[in-house]
Amino acid sequence: MMDVPSPTNQGESVELICSYELDEDNLYSVKWYKDDVEFYRYVPNDWPPGQFLPLEGVRVDLSKSGSQSVYLRHVDLNSAGVYRCEVSAEAPEFQTVEAEKEMKVLELSLLLNLERYAKDWSGIADLAARF
């Protein structure tokens, strides 16, 4: 199961979750992709186990990321896209499963304009109610 908050607001920090069960297998790796480009991997037998690969619009907080989630700081319009997690078990099977979900990012100025228009509209509605 995968959870990607969408839509999210520009400037917010978000946690992307990739839940999985390995049953009898051991975890080999969890890899995260944005628009088919890898940006984070968790390999328990590596040091450090969590590693970030630079990608525009993706700012990973390694201290909050791990085997089942990745934490993105201060998303912006470049953060929008299709995110995918890929979970692989160890040898000899190396079974791999994946899931993907789109994240949309709302521009802050658009939200502020919508809020202002909503206030204007309620003022007009109040005025109209008086007549």
Side-chain angles (χ1 to χ4, degrees):
M1 182 186 91
M2 186 172 176
D3 184 35
V4 173
S6 182
T8 187
N9 299 324
Q10 183 178 359
E12 289 184 343
S13 295
V14 297
E15 183 179 30
L16 313 181
I17 298 172
C18 184
S19 301
Y20 53 87
E21 292 183 27
L22 294 172
D23 298 324
E24 302 295 318
D25 292 327
N26 291 320
L27 178 65
Y28 175 71
S29 70
V30 178
K31 296 181 180 180
W32 285 88
Y33 301 83
K34 177 190 168 281
D35 298 329
D36 295 322
V37 177
E38 185 181 0
F39 68 89
Y40 177 76
R41 67 174 59 178
Y42 182 89
V43 182
N45 292 329
D46 283 357
W47 186 254
Q51 300 173 15
F52 169 64
L53 296 92
L55 182 63
E56 184 179 10
V58 178
R59 289 170 287 288
V60 173
D61 185 335
L62 289 172
S63 70
K64 294 183 178 180
S65 300
S67 64
Q68 294 203 3
S69 68
V70 62
Y71 193 85
L72 305 183
R73 292 181 287 112
H74 312 295
V75 298
D76 61 29
L77 297 180
N78 292 315
S79 305
V82 176
Y83 286 82
R84 183 174 84 238
C85 70
E86 178 185 278
V87 180
S88 299
E90 281 189 336
E93 300 298 324
F94 284 109
Q95 291 184 356
T96 301
V97 295
E98 60 184 46
E100 68 179 35
K101 191 170 179 187
E102 182 179 11
M103 182 172 74
K104 296 178 181 178
V105 178
L106 301 177
E107 187 176 358
L108 188 55
S109 63
L110 176 62
L111 293 174
L112 293 174
N113 285 336
L114 288 174
E115 183 178 310
R116 188 181 82 225
Y117 291 135
K119 286 180 183 176
D120 290 347
W121 180 253
S122 67
I124 292 169
D126 290 344
L127 184 61
R130 293 181 189 171
F131 293 98

